[in-house]
Amino acid sequence: MGTYESARNRTRKQIEESFWELYESDDIDRVTVNDICRNAGITRSTFYYHYKDTNEVLDSIKRKQMELITELFESSNNEDRDYQNFIPRFQELFIENERYLIPLVMEYKDPEFAKEYRGYIAAMMKNDLQLKIDSKNDNVEETIDILLSGLSHMFLDCLASRIITLDDANNLSNGMINTGLRWILKEKYGVNLGFRRMVNNN
C-alpha cells in the first residue's frame, strides 16, 4: 500500500472513530459534520473530501462489518463447516468489533442493519444444515427460518452478554439440532438435516 493510500485510510479511520464516539451517545440526525470535525481535529473540507455526509460515514462502518462476517463464513469450509473450529473465530471477530456490533446488532440502534446482519448468519446456518424438504406443508420454510433466527440470536446473545460460554452455546445447539430438532423436523415436518458437525464427537 502506497503512502497516499495509507494516509487516506488513516484519515477515514479517524473520521469514523470521531463519528462513532458521537453516534454511540446520540441519534445520527443529531450528529453534525462540525461535531465530527471538532472531535477529530480536522477541517470540514477534509471531511467532505472523504464523505458526503454523516450517513455515508455510518454506511461505511456497516459495510465493513458485513464484509468481515461474510469473509469469516466464506473463508471456512462451506461444504462441511466445522463449527467447533469456526465458533472461536466468530467469537474473536465479535469481540474485536463489539463496539460497533452491540449497538447496531444487539441493541437495534440501526434496525435495518440488525436485520441484515442477523439474517445473513441465519441464512448461512440454513445453508450449512443441508436441508432436504419432502413436505408439502407451505409453512415449513417459514418454520425453519424462525428456528434458525432463534439459534443465531442465541449465539449473538452469548457473545454480547458472556453469561454462558460459546462452548456451552455450541453444545446446546448440538443438543437442540441433533437430539430433538432433527427428529421433530423429520417426523412432523418431513425435513431431513444433512449436517451433523455442530460439535466434535471424537
Side-chain angles (χ1 to χ4, degrees), residues 107-125:
E107 298 174 351
Y108 287 89
K109 191 171 174 69
D110 189 306
E112 289 187 8
F113 180 76
K115 182 178 180 180
E116 179 185 6
Y117 195 91
R118 291 169 177 270
Y120 176 78
I121 294 172
M124 295 304 293
M125 291 177 69

Side-chain angles (χ1 to χ4, degrees), residues 76-114:
S76 60
N77 186 355
N78 292 335
E79 296 299 321
D80 192 15
R81 199 184 319 279
D82 184 354
Y83 273 71
Q84 191 76 11
N85 294 320
F86 175 79
I87 286 175
R89 295 173 60 203
F90 190 3
Q91 181 179 34
E92 182 179 356
L93 174 67
F94 190 94
I95 291 172
E96 288 176 355
N97 295 276
E98 64 182 354
R99 180 185 180 191
Y100 304 108
L101 294 174
I102 289 179
L104 290 173
V105 177
M106 305 307 300
E107 298 174 351
Y108 287 89
K109 191 171 174 69
D110 189 306
E112 289 187 8
F113 180 76

Side-chain angles (χ1 to χ4, degrees), residues 45-70:
S45 60
T46 298
F47 175 91
Y48 285 118
Y49 179 80
H50 294 279
Y51 298 98
K52 66 179 182 180
D53 55 29
T54 54
N55 284 295
E56 191 173 46
V57 181
L58 180 57
D59 287 343
S60 176
I61 292 171
K62 293 189 293 186
R63 185 171 58 253
K64 287 177 183 176
Q65 293 307 311
M66 284 306 305
E67 288 172 352
L68 287 170
I69 189 67
T70 300

